[in-house]
């Protein structure tokens, strides 16, 4: 039986993961679907209970599952904790341990939400972008890093941006492969005008393209320009291939185009046969945590991505996406989408739409 490990985490994480439990329960009851669900404390919740954001036991459970679904991590409560024990550090450790290097962040504008975007409807209606973000290297993991005190008593902070050819090539391959099943275009974003890693990135992508993917349209774009083009004319993009840090920033920006950060799912994939890590793109939203106001759709759609990429049930992913679309068409709206539905009511709307299929 396929297995899914739930890591609700912090803030709104437990509330949105609860709705995933309901959806998965519905599928078990009605979709000829069998899934072994397990759960572990993660992030700040694990730090409070175990003194570490990710226990070795939870890490081993993740590696032994077919898929892992995280809610959210972090919050002001752990702001004073040493960096290595912060909730976010647990997430980075998990991504690294799972070797989940290819982060797929689709930005899809649902028709019913085209007016919820901060851009005019004509710019976002029908928008369908896929950001492929490198997730296990770059400045997030580069050494040396740290804050040191200089001889004059002032401090100096260091981060290191580092990429190997192999790291760039494997994630670029994922982007090209996925583009072939879409509109066949890859935009590779880096800062080759100022960064050595950017020069290497462009070179590796160019060579791989010429060697194995000449049928795919490839465009190089400086990351700052990509940020600008995303709000100017977002529909020019199909697949955006980029590094860990630029991908973090560009995916928040792309998410907002679709109406709300509360809508965007993600998948982080490793090699075939290894578990995938699924996360809503949104954070822990401590300001609304525990109030039943959070939008569970990003988590529900992340579960959908797990059904497709790790749990061998693309048919159920399609049903779930259709149910989310139907729930939105029927007017279900949490606060982030300009409505007043609760987290539970949004979950109800999705379950109702599933039942009506
Ligand atoms: C994301 C988040 C994380 C990141 C944080 C929580 C470590 O912003 O998944 O986009 O920066 O990768
Ligand atoms: Mg982010």
């Amino acid at each position: 039986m396929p297995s899914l490990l739930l890591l609700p985490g912090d803030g709104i994480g437990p509330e949105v993961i609860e709705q995933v439990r309901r959806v998965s329960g519905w599928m078990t009851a009605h979709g000829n679907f069998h899934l072994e669900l397990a759960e572990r404390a993660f992030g700040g919740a694990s730090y409070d209970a175990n003194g570490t954001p990710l226990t070795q036991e939870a890490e081993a459970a993740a590696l032994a599952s077919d898929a892992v679904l995280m809610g959210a991590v972090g919050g002001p409560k752990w702001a004073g904790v040493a960096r290595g024990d912060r909730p976010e550090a647990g997430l980075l450790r998990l991504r690294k341990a799972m070797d989940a290097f290819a982060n797929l962040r689709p930005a899809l504008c649902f028709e019913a939400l085209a007016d919820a975007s901060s851009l005019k409807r004509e710019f976002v209606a029908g928008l369908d972008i896929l950001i492929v973000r490198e997730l296990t290297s770059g400045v997030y993991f580069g050494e040396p890093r740290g804050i040191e005190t200089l001889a004059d008593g002032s401090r100096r902070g260091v981060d290191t941006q580092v990429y190997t050819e192999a790291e760039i090539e494997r994630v670029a391959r994922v982007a090209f492969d996925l583009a072939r099943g879409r509109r066949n275009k890859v935009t590779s974003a880096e800062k080759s005008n100022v960064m050595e890693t950017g020069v290497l990135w462009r070179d590796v992508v160019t060579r791989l393209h010429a060697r194995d993917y000449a049928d795919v349209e490839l465009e190089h774009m400086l990351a700052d320009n990509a940020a600008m083009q995303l709000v100017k004319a977002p529909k020019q993009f199909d697949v955006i291939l980029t590094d860990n840090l630029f991908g973090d920033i560009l995916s928040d920006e792309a998410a907002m185009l679709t109406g709300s950060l509360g809508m965007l799912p993600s998948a982080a994939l490793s090699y075939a046969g290894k578990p995938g890590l699924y996360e809503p793109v949104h954070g822990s939203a401590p300001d609304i945590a525990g109030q039943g106001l959070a939008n569970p759709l990003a988590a529900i759609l992340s579960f959908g991505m797990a059904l497709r990429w790790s749990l061998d049930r693309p048919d159920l992913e399609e049903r779930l996406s259709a149910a989310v679309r139907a729930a939105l068409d029927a007017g279900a709206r949490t606060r982030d989408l300009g409505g007043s539905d609760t987290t539970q009511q949004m979950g109800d709307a999705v379950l109702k739409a599933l039942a009506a299929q």
Side-chain angles (χ1 to χ4, degrees), residues 72-215:
V73 286
K77 183 176 175 198
W78 302 282
V81 173
R83 198 173 49 77
D85 288 329
R86 295 269 290 267
E88 292 81 359
L91 177 57
L92 298 191
R93 277 223 310 275
L94 184 63
R95 288 172 176 171
K96 193 77 172 175
M98 294 177 71
D99 201 12
F101 65 90
N103 188 200
L104 279 38
R105 299 192 157 191
L108 206 103
C109 184
F110 286 88
E111 179 56 32
L113 296 183
D115 294 309
S117 171
S118 44
L119 295 196
K120 293 193 197 78
R121 162 179 275 277
E122 70 239 48
F123 289 101
V124 295
L127 183 75
D128 178 1
I129 297 176
L130 177 66
I131 295 184
V132 178
R133 169 190 178 193
E134 198 293 324
L135 200 61
T136 52
S137 183
V139 75
Y140 275 63
F141 295 94
E143 297 284 345
R145 61 182 295 156
I147 300 177
E148 61 190 6
T149 303
L150 301 175
D152 69 358
S154 66
R155 289 178 304 160
R156 176 172 177 263
V158 178
D159 290 288
T160 302
Q161 162 83 336
V162 54
Y163 271 106
T164 64
E165 285 189 287
E167 286 169 340
I168 299 167
E169 186 172 315
R170 66 179 185 169
V171 71
R173 221 172 250 296
V174 173
F176 284 125
D177 284 337
L178 290 171
R180 278 181 174 157
R182 297 170 45 96
R183 297 188 304 282
N184 213 34
K185 178 178 172 188
V186 171
T187 303
S188 173
E190 27 64 7
K191 283 285 286 177
S192 55
N193 54 343
V194 289
M195 298 171 74
E196 299 303 324
T197 48
V199 173
L200 184 69
W201 186 281
R202 189 174 287 219
D203 187 58
V204 171
V205 172
T206 303
R207 282 176 197 222
L208 176 68
H209 174 253
R211 199 170 69 228
D212 293 343
Y213 296 97
D215 56 301

Side-chain angles (χ1 to χ4, degrees), residues 263-287:
M263 293 297 303
L264 273 256
S266 82
L269 307 179
S270 183
Y271 292 101
K274 295 270 209 89
L277 173 60
Y278 299 84
E279 324 167 11
V281 171
H282 63 66
S284 60
D287 52 324

